[in-house]
Amino acid sequence: MNRLLLTLTLVATFTASAFAQKAQPQPKSQEEVNAILAVQDAPDPNARIAAAQKLLKDFKDTEFKEFANYMMMLSYQQLNDFENMLIFGDETLKDNPDNVGVLLQLSFAIPTRTREFDLDKEEKLSKAEDYAKRAITLIPNLAKMDPNMPDEEWLNTKKDFMSQANESLGLIDIKRENYDAAIEHLTKALELASQQTGETFYHLANAYNKAGKKDMALDAVNKSIAAGGMQMVDGKNAAEALKQEIEGSN
């Protein structure tokens, strides 16, 4: 499952079933219903953020605070605004520490934005690790997003969630220069995924390369390229650059 599809599935999981695992929230007026629908039906991230902020401002006692903060977190992620993504992810977890969507998204985002010489590097990585491991304990007991979904399909969806949690742990291990553990987690992520992605193969190739296992790194990076590689915001494919690096060091 690619990351965009996984994010959309997480949204569906949250809106359709996360509340089912605790008391169902209830709107207190038609006006509040309309405000909730405005968030749900917003045409773009900025409009969704504005609608969620209006919901929280106009209905201070709303039971949909978790929903509003979660949708803002995802919207800021779409806008590549990492700081606000973290802020509203943390706000969501204040209302529900077991929100698997937030735990998975933040556990992946934090290590990708953590730099080698950040003074708070280990603090951030420990936070991300806690989120990923908490998600792993919660995923097996997630309620179906659709009661009519076949059991096998829901099992595969949960495996995709477990795959992302393991990929996050692999990225955290790479940042800690614990490459053998990274290889183990990323290999497991690929085994669990219903659709193996170029991005995960890229991270595995990177871990193998940093561990000095050049032949395995080359095999993994070739699989990454075959699956689309690792596309960067500048349009370049990081997997192609990594392959050149691996071949140049042999």
Side-chain angles (χ1 to χ4, degrees):
M1 181 181 288
N2 64 49
R3 196 158 301 285
L4 175 59
L5 181 57
L6 179 58
T7 297
L8 294 175
T9 304
L10 287 168
V11 173
T13 302
F14 175 76
T15 55
S17 73
F19 285 139
Q21 300 183 50
K22 60 179 186 177
Q24 286 278 353
Q26 296 295 329
K28 299 176 179 63
S29 66
Q30 184 59 47
E31 289 77 12
E32 185 179 352
V33 171
N34 294 340
I36 294 164
L37 291 175
V39 179
Q40 178 179 300
D41 299 336
D44 58 66
N46 285 313
R48 192 177 305 113
I49 290 166
Q53 290 174 337
K54 182 172 173 51
L55 169 63
L56 295 177
K57 179 181 177 182
D58 292 350
F59 303 93
K60 297 188 184 303
D61 62 344
T62 183
E63 296 177 17
F64 287 82
K65 184 177 179 182
E66 179 187 350
F67 164 76
N69 283 317
Y70 182 68
M71 298 305 281
M72 283 193 281
M73 184 205 78
L74 291 177
S75 298
Y76 280 117
Q77 180 185 26
Q78 287 180 276
L79 295 170
N80 202 31
D81 185 336
F82 179 65
E83 295 305 323
N84 274 313
M85 178 191 176
L86 286 183
I87 288 170
F88 288 98
D90 285 340
E91 285 299 313
T92 308
L93 292 175
K94 287 179 184 177
D95 290 298
N96 179 10
D98 294 339
N99 186 310
V100 171
V102 175
L103 295 173
L104 288 177
Q105 294 300 315
L106 293 187
S107 69
F108 183 84
I110 291 171
T112 62
R113 298 299 187 107
T114 300
R115 295 169 296 185
E116 181 179 358
F117 298 110
D118 286 348
L119 295 178
D120 59 347
K121 173 183 174 180
E122 185 52 37
E123 179 183 345
K124 288 190 287 191
L125 293 178
S126 293
K127 186 175 185 179
E129 181 182 26
D130 175 68
Y131 288 163
K133 289 183 174 180
R134 200 187 319 167
I136 286 172
T137 66
L138 293 167
I139 290 166
N141 297 316
L142 278 178
K144 285 184 183 179
M145 65 182 79
D146 177 359
N148 297 318
M149 178 184 287
D151 289 344
E152 184 177 356
E153 183 179 346
W154 181 233
L155 177 61
N156 288 334
T157 299
K158 291 195 291 184
K159 284 182 178 180
D160 280 322
F161 295 163
M162 294 288 277
S163 174
Q164 184 175 353
N166 276 279
E167 185 169 1
S168 296
L169 290 172
L171 294 179
I172 293 163
D173 288 326
I174 289 174
K175 293 293 183 178
R176 287 172 167 164
E177 301 183 8
N178 191 354
Y179 301 124
D180 287 341
I183 290 165
E184 182 178 347
H185 280 124
L186 292 166
T187 300
K188 187 171 184 179
L190 287 163
E191 290 172 350
L192 288 167
S194 60
Q195 179 180 343
Q196 296 179 335
T197 68
E199 291 91 339
T200 310
F201 274 119
Y202 168 82
H203 295 310
L204 178 60
N206 188 34
Y208 275 131
N209 187 44
K210 290 180 179 296
K213 301 176 181 181
K214 302 299 181 180
D215 289 342
M216 292 179 177
L218 187 59
D219 178 66
V221 81
N222 282 332
K223 289 177 180 177
S224 173
I225 292 169
M230 178 76 170
Q231 300 298 323
M232 308 300 288
V233 293
D234 60 4
K236 295 180 181 179
N237 191 329
E240 296 281 4
L242 179 59
K243 181 175 180 178
Q244 291 179 10
E245 178 186 333
I246 295 166
E247 291 178 332
S249 63
N250 283 334

